[in-house]
Amino acid sequence: MLSRPALPLSLFALATQVLAQLPLPNPPWQPPTASNGAVVSAAQTSTPNPQWSTMLGDLLYFYEAQRSGRLPSTKRPAWRNDSAVSDGQDVNLDLTGGYYDAGDYIKCTYPLSFTIMSICWGANDFGRGYDMANQTAYLDDMLRWGLDWMIKAHPESNTLYVQVANANLDNAYWGGDENIPYPRPSYPINATKRVNFIPGTDAAASAAAAFAACSNLYAGRSFGSAYTAPASLQNSSYATTLLTHAQQLYAFATNSSIKQQTYQTAVPEAGTAYASSSYGDDLTIAALHLAQATNSTDMYQQGVNFYRQFSLTGSNQVFNWDSKTPGVYVLLSQLAQANSLFASNQSGWQAEAERYFDNIVNRQSKTSNGLLWYDGDSNDASLNPALNAAMLLRRYAPLASSQSRQTSYLNLAQQQMDYALGNNPMHAPYVVGVNPNSPSNPHSAMASGGSDINNIDTVPAQEAYVLYGAVIGGPSRRDLFHDMRSDWVESEVALDYNAPMLTLAAARVMSDAADPFYTRLQAGAYASVKPSSAPCDNAVSTGCRRPGLSTGARIAIGIVVGLVGLLILCMATYCLRRGRRR
Ligand SMILES: *[C@@H]1O[C@H](CO)[C@@H](O)[C@H](O)[C@H]1NC(C)=O
Ligand SMILES: *[C@@H]1O[C@H](CO)[C@@H](O)[C@H](O)[C@H]1NC(C)=O
Ligand SMILES: *[C@@H]1O[C@H](CO)[C@@H](O)[C@H](O)[C@H]1NC(C)=O
Ligand SMILES: *[C@@H]1O[C@H](CO)[C@@H](O)[C@H](O)[C@H]1NC(C)=O
Ligand SMILES: *[C@@H]1O[C@H](CO)[C@@H](O)[C@H](O)[C@H]1NC(C)=O
Ligand SMILES: *[C@@H]1O[C@H](CO)[C@@H](O)[C@H](O)[C@H]1NC(C)=O
Ligand SMILES: *[C@@H]1O[C@H](CO)[C@@H](O)[C@H](O)[C@H]1NC(C)=O
């Protein structure tokens, strides 16, 4: 038994009541084998299409495979074991549970918060898709496994655990879930971390945003008639618990008596994997989800004030765990049309959202086969920026100010999703286990079955377990996919990679009677085009020539460097002489 530190009574009571949930199907729903995804559905005339329902189930199942801690008797991936059951012991807390972040075994609160916010918000908008696919109980189960851990990671109003396990130590381990190495230190942000600063404005605000967005989902506080929450998920007592944590964390993040800073400034160890670049977007989106949760014009005004203070207008950035501004445009537009209290600047917010989306539709680069490409952001895990753009386009489309905009937003969202689901030159749907051409070597220590870090690709020859429903990083700038376990750039899995696909799939369950693209891909389609070249990216560069310069170019550069050197030498000599003359 772990000894418990003294908790404020009210929080202790909250932390112990969060167990019950929707009953899970019995027998449980299990992902069908990949060959099922190469079978064209017979009718394709009504919703829900069974292939889309399966897709949604698979995407949720991935999160179950990522679970940390003691697994319940209802666990579905038979190959997963209890793991990391001493997390938090170093600080006399129970920090077991939650989710492993990606292909490794660290638990990271900041990107987890983004993932959970994204899924709750998406379920609030397209929740009927979960109901239609009979997946709402698994959605509930998935969310609570994350939220209940976040509640444990927030044991006092001004303390939030932002990471468990050290990324540098953990990256040295490649193996199964039975021998995950300790120590796994627990890293908090709290009042003593930096006496004069809030020790992690972004992490506290981002967790507040997740709790508030999920409170809205569980309370059924929807964004109006354009959207539908899942009918069966509502639970007002859980919604209240989540709102309490959201409000405390928001108060922590905005405590006016002290200054603000990024969380890795206080906890450098957390910056190794997920260094945050700013906190203005986190504060804004937290205030706005809280405005929706509390019907508070004051909270709405705080959100708008942050928006101005941090100059969020005019951004063309991607939407991801570190960059929430594009989501702010959409949320402001949704609030304005759903709630008369927040409606005063509806046309202003919609103009901002449409400026952002029109730029994507008309000007954002794409690979030659049509995947949205953001230089820098797309270089590792290229599907993530594209699918997040598609997800926001899909969500905003019902609010578009013209029919032609609505059509172009929906079309681009669908085209990006179809690319990810196999309409690409590799004939590969980039979700594990949904079709015979799906990736077979996701970068995941637990699924690989290997323990030899130096021979990740070859030991074992075949990945031990099928990580059903995992969205992988994505193809290269040249639309190539190499399906190599060591190539984390293209093949890693992560909690946040699945989130936009989940929302998009829920929307497709509701609206699309036709099969996902991949049912037309038969076994062997990927094998026939699989590149024989090396990926030549940030993960794998063996067998690659460095970006080639011709001999002529190298000689020319040599001459220029030589001349510049000579010039510097001359100037230095001249300055030295002048110096001496004084
Ligand atoms: C709602 O959630 C709370 C907290 O997890 C739980 O105790 C309660 O049983 C749930 N109610 C229903 C009707 O599911
Ligand atoms: C959902 O459950 C109902 C009732 O058991 C069943 O009739 C229906 O076929 C199921 N739908 C899907 C998509 O599994
Ligand atoms: C879980 O334990 C079993 C039995 O020891 C083992 O075969 C399996 O590989 C373990 N799973 C993982 C993910 O390591
Ligand atoms: C803050 O966390 C550190 C551990 O990093 C701990 O030593 C310290 O006591 C904590 N302060 C408070 C006020 O909880
Ligand atoms: C704000 O921070 C100060 C200094 O750490 C602390 O004493 C106070 O309780 C905090 N206020 C809130 C609302 O958390
Ligand atoms: C929020 O305020 C609006 C406008 O006053 C009102 O119509 C709505 O019922 C309120 N919602 C809640 C949950 O109190
Ligand atoms: C209205 O929205 C625009 C964005 O188009 C923003 O720049 C402006 O500050 C907003 N005005 C108010 C009063 O909130």
mmCIF file of all heavy atoms in Angstrom, residues 456-493:
data_model
loop_
_atom_site.group_PDB
_atom_site.id
_atom_site.type_symbol
_atom_site.label_atom_id
_atom_site.label_comp_id
_atom_site.label_asym_id
_atom_site.label_seq_id
_atom_site.Cartn_x
_atom_site.Cartn_y
_atom_site.Cartn_z
ATOM 1 N N ILE A 456 16.513 -3.718 -34.180
ATOM 2 C CA ILE A 456 15.069 -3.476 -34.102
ATOM 3 C C ILE A 456 14.336 -4.022 -35.321
ATOM 4 O O ILE A 456 13.257 -4.605 -35.213
ATOM 5 C CB ILE A 456 14.815 -1.955 -33.966
ATOM 6 C CG1 ILE A 456 15.155 -1.479 -32.558
ATOM 7 C CG2 ILE A 456 13.385 -1.608 -34.291
ATOM 8 C CD1 ILE A 456 14.885 -0.012 -32.325
ATOM 9 N N ASP A 457 14.931 -3.858 -36.499
ATOM 10 C CA ASP A 457 14.226 -4.219 -37.735
ATOM 11 C C ASP A 457 14.144 -5.720 -37.976
ATOM 12 O O ASP A 457 13.212 -6.189 -38.618
ATOM 13 C CB ASP A 457 14.920 -3.573 -38.936
ATOM 14 C CG ASP A 457 14.657 -2.085 -38.995
ATOM 15 O OD1 ASP A 457 13.482 -1.690 -38.802
ATOM 16 O OD2 ASP A 457 15.608 -1.309 -39.206
ATOM 17 N N THR A 458 15.117 -6.458 -37.443
ATOM 18 C CA THR A 458 15.211 -7.868 -37.828
ATOM 19 C C THR A 458 14.883 -8.855 -36.713
ATOM 20 O O THR A 458 14.678 -10.031 -36.975
ATOM 21 C CB THR A 458 16.631 -8.164 -38.342
ATOM 22 O OG1 THR A 458 17.569 -7.604 -37.420
ATOM 23 C CG2 THR A 458 16.847 -7.526 -39.708
ATOM 24 N N VAL A 459 14.875 -8.382 -35.453
ATOM 25 C CA VAL A 459 14.588 -9.285 -34.341
ATOM 26 C C VAL A 459 13.368 -8.778 -33.566
ATOM 27 O O VAL A 459 13.445 -7.728 -32.940
ATOM 28 C CB VAL A 459 15.797 -9.376 -33.372
ATOM 29 C CG1 VAL A 459 15.495 -10.370 -32.256
ATOM 30 C CG2 VAL A 459 17.069 -9.753 -34.116
ATOM 31 N N PRO A 460 12.236 -9.479 -33.610
ATOM 32 C CA PRO A 460 11.989 -10.659 -34.430
ATOM 33 C C PRO A 460 11.716 -10.257 -35.889
ATOM 34 O O PRO A 460 11.473 -9.078 -36.165
ATOM 35 C CB PRO A 460 10.730 -11.255 -33.794
ATOM 36 C CG PRO A 460 9.990 -10.079 -33.256
ATOM 37 C CD PRO A 460 11.033 -9.082 -32.831
ATOM 38 N N ALA A 461 11.717 -11.252 -36.773
ATOM 39 C CA ALA A 461 11.513 -10.950 -38.188
ATOM 40 C C ALA A 461 10.146 -10.318 -38.406
ATOM 41 O O ALA A 461 9.994 -9.368 -39.161
ATOM 42 C CB ALA A 461 11.651 -12.224 -39.014
ATOM 43 N N GLN A 462 9.160 -10.850 -37.703
ATOM 44 C CA GLN A 462 7.802 -10.309 -37.834
ATOM 45 C C GLN A 462 7.369 -9.697 -36.516
ATOM 46 O O GLN A 462 7.612 -10.270 -35.449
ATOM 47 C CB GLN A 462 6.845 -11.444 -38.226
ATOM 48 C CG GLN A 462 5.496 -10.939 -38.705
ATOM 49 C CD GLN A 462 4.507 -12.075 -38.922
ATOM 50 O OE1 GLN A 462 4.903 -13.210 -39.176
ATOM 51 N NE2 GLN A 462 3.240 -11.768 -38.813
ATOM 52 N N GLU A 463 6.743 -8.530 -36.564
ATOM 53 C CA GLU A 463 6.225 -7.890 -35.350
ATOM 54 C C GLU A 463 5.353 -8.907 -34.592
ATOM 55 O O GLU A 463 4.519 -9.590 -35.193
ATOM 56 C CB GLU A 463 5.412 -6.653 -35.745
ATOM 57 C CG GLU A 463 5.036 -5.763 -34.591
ATOM 58 C CD GLU A 463 5.641 -4.348 -34.675
ATOM 59 O OE1 GLU A 463 6.628 -4.136 -35.425
ATOM 60 O OE2 GLU A 463 5.138 -3.472 -33.970
ATOM 61 N N ALA A 464 5.553 -8.987 -33.263
ATOM 62 C CA ALA A 464 4.894 -10.056 -32.507
ATOM 63 C C ALA A 464 3.376 -9.878 -32.415
ATOM 64 O O ALA A 464 2.624 -10.841 -32.518
ATOM 65 C CB ALA A 464 5.492 -10.131 -31.103
ATOM 66 N N TYR A 465 2.930 -8.623 -32.209
ATOM 67 C CA TYR A 465 1.502 -8.392 -31.977
ATOM 68 C C TYR A 465 0.989 -7.340 -32.954
ATOM 69 O O TYR A 465 1.692 -6.381 -33.273
ATOM 70 C CB TYR A 465 1.273 -7.927 -30.537
ATOM 71 C CG TYR A 465 1.938 -8.837 -29.525
ATOM 72 C CD1 TYR A 465 3.065 -8.416 -28.813
ATOM 73 C CD2 TYR A 465 1.459 -10.125 -29.316
ATOM 74 C CE1 TYR A 465 3.693 -9.259 -27.904
ATOM 75 C CE2 TYR A 465 2.081 -10.980 -28.410
ATOM 76 C CZ TYR A 465 3.209 -10.542 -27.710
ATOM 77 O OH TYR A 465 3.822 -11.385 -26.833
ATOM 78 N N VAL A 466 -0.249 -7.524 -33.400
ATOM 79 C CA VAL A 466 -0.855 -6.534 -34.303
ATOM 80 C C VAL A 466 -1.423 -5.392 -33.447
ATOM 81 O O VAL A 466 -2.323 -5.612 -32.635
ATOM 82 C CB VAL A 466 -1.969 -7.163 -35.161
ATOM 83 C CG1 VAL A 466 -2.559 -6.117 -36.103
ATOM 84 C CG2 VAL A 466 -1.422 -8.348 -35.946
ATOM 85 N N LEU A 467 -0.901 -4.207 -33.634
ATOM 86 C CA LEU A 467 -1.336 -3.046 -32.856
ATOM 87 C C LEU A 467 -2.547 -2.416 -33.558
ATOM 88 O O LEU A 467 -2.475 -1.312 -34.109
ATOM 89 C CB LEU A 467 -0.173 -2.059 -32.731
ATOM 90 C CG LEU A 467 -0.249 -0.940 -31.701
ATOM 91 C CD1 LEU A 467 -0.536 -1.480 -30.307
ATOM 92 C CD2 LEU A 467 1.036 -0.126 -31.696
ATOM 93 N N TYR A 468 -3.668 -3.140 -33.529
ATOM 94 C CA TYR A 468 -4.866 -2.720 -34.274
ATOM 95 C C TYR A 468 -5.216 -1.260 -34.011
ATOM 96 O O TYR A 468 -5.222 -0.806 -32.865
ATOM 97 C CB TYR A 468 -6.063 -3.593 -33.887
ATOM 98 C CG TYR A 468 -6.016 -4.976 -34.505
ATOM 99 C CD1 TYR A 468 -5.666 -6.081 -33.740
ATOM 100 C CD2 TYR A 468 -6.322 -5.163 -35.848
ATOM 101 C CE1 TYR A 468 -5.622 -7.354 -34.305
ATOM 102 C CE2 TYR A 468 -6.276 -6.428 -36.426
ATOM 103 C CZ TYR A 468 -5.921 -7.508 -35.651
ATOM 104 O OH TYR A 468 -5.863 -8.762 -36.213
ATOM 105 N N GLY A 469 -5.511 -0.545 -35.075
ATOM 106 C CA GLY A 469 -6.051 0.801 -34.953
ATOM 107 C C GLY A 469 -5.030 1.898 -34.767
ATOM 108 O O GLY A 469 -5.413 3.059 -34.615
ATOM 109 N N ALA A 470 -3.733 1.567 -34.798
ATOM 110 C CA ALA A 470 -2.717 2.607 -34.602
ATOM 111 C C ALA A 470 -2.483 3.372 -35.900
ATOM 112 O O ALA A 470 -2.160 2.789 -36.925
ATOM 113 C CB ALA A 470 -1.409 1.976 -34.136
ATOM 114 N N VAL A 471 -2.654 4.694 -35.863
ATOM 115 C CA VAL A 471 -2.272 5.556 -36.978
ATOM 116 C C VAL A 471 -0.764 5.757 -36.871
ATOM 117 O O VAL A 471 -0.267 6.125 -35.801
ATOM 118 C CB VAL A 471 -2.988 6.914 -36.889
ATOM 119 C CG1 VAL A 471 -2.487 7.874 -37.966
ATOM 120 C CG2 VAL A 471 -4.505 6.735 -37.002
ATOM 121 N N ILE A 472 -0.037 5.503 -37.938
ATOM 122 C CA ILE A 472 1.425 5.637 -37.872
ATOM 123 C C ILE A 472 1.849 7.029 -38.364
ATOM 124 O O ILE A 472 1.022 7.808 -38.831
ATOM 125 C CB ILE A 472 2.138 4.519 -38.653
ATOM 126 C CG1 ILE A 472 1.587 4.401 -40.073
ATOM 127 C CG2 ILE A 472 1.964 3.181 -37.941
ATOM 128 C CD1 ILE A 472 2.417 5.033 -41.108
ATOM 129 N N GLY A 473 3.140 7.326 -38.228
ATOM 130 C CA GLY A 473 3.644 8.662 -38.548
ATOM 131 C C GLY A 473 3.251 9.155 -39.929
ATOM 132 O O GLY A 473 2.627 10.201 -40.077
ATOM 133 N N GLY A 474 3.583 8.371 -40.960
ATOM 134 C CA GLY A 474 3.152 8.759 -42.302
ATOM 135 C C GLY A 474 4.278 8.757 -43.311
ATOM 136 O O GLY A 474 5.449 8.570 -42.964
ATOM 137 N N PRO A 475 3.930 8.958 -44.577
ATOM 138 C CA PRO A 475 4.897 8.834 -45.671
ATOM 139 C C PRO A 475 5.852 10.018 -45.755
ATOM 140 O O PRO A 475 5.703 11.009 -45.040
ATOM 141 C CB PRO A 475 4.007 8.783 -46.911
ATOM 142 C CG PRO A 475 2.818 9.601 -46.529
ATOM 143 C CD PRO A 475 2.591 9.324 -45.068
ATOM 144 N N SER A 476 6.810 9.895 -46.667
ATOM 145 C CA SER A 476 7.799 10.949 -46.878
ATOM 146 C C SER A 476 7.241 12.036 -47.798
ATOM 147 O O SER A 476 6.149 11.900 -48.347
ATOM 148 C CB SER A 476 9.052 10.349 -47.528
ATOM 149 O OG SER A 476 8.763 10.022 -48.884
ATOM 150 N N ARG A 477 8.026 13.088 -47.971
ATOM 151 C CA ARG A 477 7.656 14.189 -48.873
ATOM 152 C C ARG A 477 7.389 13.681 -50.286
ATOM 153 O O ARG A 477 6.627 14.276 -51.042
ATOM 154 C CB ARG A 477 8.820 15.202 -48.891
ATOM 155 C CG ARG A 477 8.621 16.430 -49.781
ATOM 156 C CD ARG A 477 7.712 17.418 -49.067
ATOM 157 N NE ARG A 477 7.575 18.713 -49.731
ATOM 158 C CZ ARG A 477 6.668 18.993 -50.678
ATOM 159 N NH1 ARG A 477 5.874 18.042 -51.144
ATOM 160 N NH2 ARG A 477 6.579 20.202 -51.176
ATOM 161 N N ARG A 478 8.032 12.540 -50.626
ATOM 162 C CA ARG A 478 7.853 11.957 -51.964
ATOM 163 C C ARG A 478 6.778 10.871 -51.971
ATOM 164 O O ARG A 478 6.745 10.041 -52.863
ATOM 165 C CB ARG A 478 9.192 11.412 -52.464
ATOM 166 C CG ARG A 478 10.229 12.527 -52.735
ATOM 167 C CD ARG A 478 11.649 11.984 -52.873
ATOM 168 N NE ARG A 478 11.738 10.986 -53.925
ATOM 169 C CZ ARG A 478 12.502 9.898 -53.860
ATOM 170 N NH1 ARG A 478 13.232 9.654 -52.778
ATOM 171 N NH2 ARG A 478 12.536 9.051 -54.859
ATOM 172 N N ASP A 479 5.903 10.876 -50.958
ATOM 173 C CA ASP A 479 4.790 9.919 -50.867
ATOM 174 C C ASP A 479 5.255 8.477 -50.699
ATOM 175 O O ASP A 479 4.503 7.549 -50.993
ATOM 176 C CB ASP A 479 3.867 10.011 -52.096
ATOM 177 C CG ASP A 479 3.227 11.385 -52.257
ATOM 178 O OD1 ASP A 479 2.356 11.724 -51.441
ATOM 179 O OD2 ASP A 479 3.622 12.113 -53.192
ATOM 180 N N LEU A 480 6.494 8.295 -50.210
ATOM 181 C CA LEU A 480 7.002 6.931 -50.035
ATOM 182 C C LEU A 480 6.828 6.491 -48.587
ATOM 183 O O LEU A 480 6.935 7.293 -47.663
ATOM 184 C CB LEU A 480 8.490 6.854 -50.399
ATOM 185 C CG LEU A 480 8.846 7.238 -51.834
ATOM 186 C CD1 LEU A 480 10.349 7.143 -52.052
ATOM 187 C CD2 LEU A 480 8.099 6.349 -52.824
ATOM 188 N N PHE A 481 6.581 5.196 -48.409
ATOM 189 C CA PHE A 481 6.477 4.626 -47.067
ATOM 190 C C PHE A 481 7.277 3.339 -47.035
ATOM 191 O O PHE A 481 7.105 2.469 -47.880
ATOM 192 C CB PHE A 481 5.013 4.353 -46.700
ATOM 193 C CG PHE A 481 4.867 3.684 -45.369
ATOM 194 C CD1 PHE A 481 5.226 4.353 -44.200
ATOM 195 C CD2 PHE A 481 4.404 2.380 -45.268
ATOM 196 C CE1 PHE A 481 5.122 3.724 -42.967
ATOM 197 C CE2 PHE A 481 4.298 1.743 -44.033
ATOM 198 C CZ PHE A 481 4.658 2.425 -42.888
ATOM 199 N N HIS A 482 8.167 3.218 -46.034
ATOM 200 C CA HIS A 482 9.142 2.129 -46.032
ATOM 201 C C HIS A 482 8.810 0.973 -45.091
ATOM 202 O O HIS A 482 9.454 -0.061 -45.141
ATOM 203 C CB HIS A 482 10.532 2.697 -45.721
ATOM 204 C CG HIS A 482 10.996 3.687 -46.748
ATOM 205 N ND1 HIS A 482 10.533 4.987 -46.790
ATOM 206 C CD2 HIS A 482 11.836 3.551 -47.801
ATOM 207 C CE1 HIS A 482 11.093 5.618 -47.811
ATOM 208 N NE2 HIS A 482 11.880 4.778 -48.448
ATOM 209 N N ASP A 483 7.850 1.171 -44.191
ATOM 210 C CA ASP A 483 7.409 0.111 -43.281
ATOM 211 C C ASP A 483 8.569 -0.527 -42.519
ATOM 212 O O ASP A 483 8.685 -1.754 -42.456
ATOM 213 C CB ASP A 483 6.618 -0.970 -44.062
ATOM 214 C CG ASP A 483 5.720 -1.805 -43.140
ATOM 215 O OD1 ASP A 483 5.490 -1.382 -41.990
ATOM 216 O OD2 ASP A 483 5.272 -2.887 -43.576
ATOM 217 N N MET A 484 9.420 0.309 -41.945
ATOM 218 C CA MET A 484 10.562 -0.182 -41.154
ATOM 219 C C MET A 484 10.364 0.188 -39.691
ATOM 220 O O MET A 484 10.079 1.338 -39.374
ATOM 221 C CB MET A 484 11.863 0.483 -41.641
ATOM 222 C CG MET A 484 12.419 -0.060 -42.934
ATOM 223 S SD MET A 484 13.822 0.979 -43.450
ATOM 224 C CE MET A 484 15.043 0.524 -42.218
ATOM 225 N N ARG A 485 10.579 -0.792 -38.812
ATOM 226 C CA ARG A 485 10.382 -0.569 -37.373
ATOM 227 C C ARG A 485 11.307 0.524 -36.823
ATOM 228 O O ARG A 485 10.926 1.289 -35.951
ATOM 229 C CB ARG A 485 10.673 -1.872 -36.630
ATOM 230 C CG ARG A 485 9.572 -2.343 -35.737
ATOM 231 C CD ARG A 485 9.898 -3.745 -35.244
ATOM 232 N NE ARG A 485 9.453 -4.766 -36.171
ATOM 233 C CZ ARG A 485 9.986 -5.987 -36.230
ATOM 234 N NH1 ARG A 485 10.982 -6.340 -35.438
ATOM 235 N NH2 ARG A 485 9.520 -6.870 -37.086
ATOM 236 N N SER A 486 12.532 0.588 -37.342
ATOM 237 C CA SER A 486 13.482 1.581 -36.816
ATOM 238 C C SER A 486 13.151 2.993 -37.279
ATOM 239 O O SER A 486 13.624 3.973 -36.715
ATOM 240 C CB SER A 486 14.898 1.235 -37.286
ATOM 241 O OG SER A 486 14.928 1.202 -38.707
ATOM 242 N N ASP A 487 12.319 3.099 -38.283
ATOM 243 C CA ASP A 487 12.052 4.407 -38.886
ATOM 244 C C ASP A 487 10.917 5.114 -38.143
ATOM 245 O O ASP A 487 9.792 5.213 -38.635
ATOM 246 C CB ASP A 487 11.689 4.205 -40.367
ATOM 247 C CG ASP A 487 11.575 5.532 -41.107
ATOM 248 O OD1 ASP A 487 12.028 6.555 -40.560
ATOM 249 O OD2 ASP A 487 11.023 5.530 -42.222
ATOM 250 N N TRP A 488 11.254 5.627 -36.946
ATOM 251 C CA TRP A 488 10.199 6.247 -36.138
ATOM 252 C C TRP A 488 9.570 7.435 -36.844
ATOM 253 O O TRP A 488 8.415 7.772 -36.581
ATOM 254 C CB TRP A 488 10.720 6.633 -34.749
ATOM 255 C CG TRP A 488 11.986 7.425 -34.725
ATOM 256 C CD1 TRP A 488 13.246 6.932 -34.543
ATOM 257 C CD2 TRP A 488 12.132 8.843 -34.894
ATOM 258 N NE1 TRP A 488 14.163 7.949 -34.589
ATOM 259 C CE2 TRP A 488 13.508 9.138 -34.799
ATOM 260 C CE3 TRP A 488 11.232 9.892 -35.104
ATOM 261 C CZ2 TRP A 488 14.006 10.442 -34.918
ATOM 262 C CZ3 TRP A 488 11.718 11.184 -35.226
ATOM 263 C CH2 TRP A 488 13.098 11.449 -35.137
ATOM 264 N N VAL A 489 10.278 8.074 -37.747
ATOM 265 C CA VAL A 489 9.702 9.205 -38.489
ATOM 266 C C VAL A 489 8.419 8.778 -39.209
ATOM 267 O O VAL A 489 7.392 9.449 -39.145
ATOM 268 C CB VAL A 489 10.726 9.755 -39.496
ATOM 269 C CG1 VAL A 489 10.066 10.662 -40.513
ATOM 270 C CG2 VAL A 489 11.834 10.497 -38.764
ATOM 271 N N GLU A 490 8.466 7.650 -39.893
ATOM 272 C CA GLU A 490 7.315 7.186 -40.675
ATOM 273 C C GLU A 490 6.441 6.195 -39.908
ATOM 274 O O GLU A 490 5.251 6.093 -40.172
ATOM 275 C CB GLU A 490 7.797 6.505 -41.977
ATOM 276 C CG GLU A 490 8.453 7.463 -42.950
ATOM 277 C CD GLU A 490 8.946 6.797 -44.235
ATOM 278 O OE1 GLU A 490 8.707 5.583 -44.415
ATOM 279 O OE2 GLU A 490 9.577 7.484 -45.054
ATOM 280 N N SER A 491 7.055 5.440 -38.978
ATOM 281 C CA SER A 491 6.359 4.264 -38.438
ATOM 282 C C SER A 491 5.959 4.334 -36.981
ATOM 283 O O SER A 491 5.311 3.406 -36.486
ATOM 284 C CB SER A 491 7.245 3.016 -38.620
ATOM 285 O OG SER A 491 7.412 2.749 -39.988
ATOM 286 N N GLU A 492 6.332 5.410 -36.265
ATOM 287 C CA GLU A 492 5.963 5.415 -34.848
ATOM 288 C C GLU A 492 4.462 5.632 -34.684
ATOM 289 O O GLU A 492 3.787 6.163 -35.564
ATOM 290 C CB GLU A 492 6.737 6.489 -34.062
ATOM 291 C CG GLU A 492 6.523 6.332 -32.545
ATOM 292 C CD GLU A 492 7.638 6.898 -31.670
ATOM 293 O OE1 GLU A 492 8.523 7.602 -32.183
ATOM 294 O OE2 GLU A 492 7.606 6.625 -30.451
ATOM 295 N N VAL A 493 3.965 5.172 -33.552
ATOM 296 C CA VAL A 493 2.567 5.382 -33.182
ATOM 297 C C VAL A 493 2.562 6.357 -32.016
ATOM 298 O O VAL A 493 3.566 6.506 -31.334
ATOM 299 C CB VAL A 493 1.910 4.049 -32.766
ATOM 300 C CG1 VAL A 493 2.001 3.045 -33.900
ATOM 301 C CG2 VAL A 493 2.569 3.484 -31.505
#
